[in-house]
Amino acid sequence: MLPSTDDAGVFAPGSALTSDDGRELVVASSKPYRDRGLLIRFDGINDRIGAERLRGLQLTIDRADRSELGPDEFWDEDLVGRRALAPDGSELGIVAEVVHGPGQDRLAIDTGVGDPVLVPFVAAIVGEPADDGTIVIDAPEGLFP
């Protein structure tokens, strides 16, 4: 498993995680694996077949159990679905996904035409999410069709 959190407590024995298919999984044990992955054993998953059934699932914790975010940090689900606007207020598209990369995260903006536009998620380009469900993107010329 490749975690998308640096909060090791999420994977402590006894921690409950919810899979995107709705199952609650309780951590029995976890340990580092290779460069940045984890080997996690869950209560009730005692063989390879059971473990393979978990392959590809996204695991989350209850929002109330999450650690506090620092300045300029956001939860992916608080960004996905927002209307992306240019500084002049014109519509660019919808945030379809947050793409996490080793050097930089990007916002995938669905413009309704072709593949999503990948926008570097940096303060010089992407503004703070607004309370009205929008986010302003001051994109370099030529990034959007």
Side-chain angles (χ1 to χ4, degrees):
M1 168 183 196
L2 292 175
S4 60
T5 179
D6 56 3
D7 183 356
V10 169
F11 306 106
S15 296
L17 303 170
T18 303
S19 65
D20 54 359
D21 67 357
R23 286 186 280 173
E24 183 176 88
L25 301 166
V26 177
V27 176
S29 65
S30 67
K31 64 182 181 180
Y33 179 73
R34 295 192 180 169
D35 291 339
R36 60 184 190 132
L38 290 174
L39 287 175
I40 301 175
R41 189 171 60 80
F42 294 102
D43 289 343
I45 308 293
N46 300 316
D47 60 21
R48 181 180 180 138
I49 294 170
E52 288 199 0
R53 288 187 181 129
L54 301 177
R55 185 180 302 238
L57 291 178
Q58 183 172 353
L59 304 175
T60 58
I61 61 172
D62 188 272
R63 192 172 184 101
D65 294 333
R66 294 180 183 172
S67 58
E68 291 293 318
L69 292 176
D72 300 323
E73 291 183 326
F74 307 96
W75 299 113
D76 289 4
E77 65 266 20
D78 292 338
L79 299 170
V80 172
R82 286 183 176 272
R83 291 178 37 239
L85 304 176
D88 66 5
S90 61
E91 188 94 22
L92 296 172
I94 302 292
V95 178
E97 179 183 8
V98 179
V99 180
H100 298 281
Q104 178 180 77
D105 296 336
R106 295 169 309 282
L107 296 180
I109 308 299
D110 181 359
T111 64
V113 179
D115 292 331
V117 174
L118 295 177
V119 176
F121 194 12
V122 295
I125 298 173
V126 180
E128 292 283 323
D131 291 338
D132 65 358
T134 62
I135 192 163
V136 174
I137 296 177
D138 190 5
E141 189 161 333
L143 186 61
F144 282 88

